[in-house]
Amino acid sequence: RPCTGTSHRHGTRGQAGHRVRARQAKRVSGRRHEHPLGETQILKLRAQAEQALGGKFNLRAFHDAVLELGSVPLPVLSARIDRFITEGGKGPYPDSE
């Protein structure tokens, strides 16, 4: 009989595959909750910037400021948007605004 990489202690090949899929689903489900939190925080920061800047608010400049840093913790993003507001709503690429 060929070796399937499983033993009597670890169950059948199908059971092993099920365990792998369960571990993958667990990892993905943990990440699934991060995206809505980030989206909610970005929407709050946008509302804060719109209110503070009024008619000077530029959505493209805001998006550029959010995306400029890449993937960062939410407190870092919040600090960046505070700076965006302090600088009068100028994004990282003012020539293209």
Side-chain angles (χ1 to χ4, degrees), residues 45-71:
L45 292 170
R46 177 180 167 178
Q48 178 184 343
E50 285 177 321
Q51 183 177 8
L53 297 170
K56 292 167 65 174
F57 178 78
N58 179 323
L59 184 58
R60 181 176 180 175
F62 176 80
H63 282 179
D64 287 345
V66 168
L67 297 174
E68 172 189 31
L69 300 176
S71 179

Side-chain angles (χ1 to χ4, degrees), residues 1 4 14 25 32 40 42 44 47-48 53 59 71-73 79-80:
R1 200 166 92 157
T4 62
R32 195 174 303 145
T40 301
I42 290 170
K44 285 180 185 177
Q48 178 184 343
L53 297 170
L59 184 58
S71 179
V72 295
R80 173 60 183 108

Side-chain angles (χ1 to χ4, degrees), residues 8-22:
H8 68 281
R9 291 185 311 217
H10 297 98
T12 66
R13 183 181 265 176
Q15 290 169 332
H18 176 73
R19 283 193 303 276
V20 169
R21 285 190 300 278

Side-chain angles (χ1 to χ4, degrees), residues 58 61 64 89-97:
N58 179 323
D64 287 345
K90 292 187 170 128
Y93 314 108
D95 295 336
S96 64
E97 295 170 10

Side-chain angles (χ1 to χ4, degrees), residues 24-41:
Q24 290 170 341
K26 191 175 185 179
R27 271 197 310 263
V28 170
S29 69
R31 281 187 235 139
R32 195 174 303 145
H33 299 292
E34 295 170 7
H35 298 294
L37 291 175
E39 180 183 6
T40 301
Q41 182 65 28

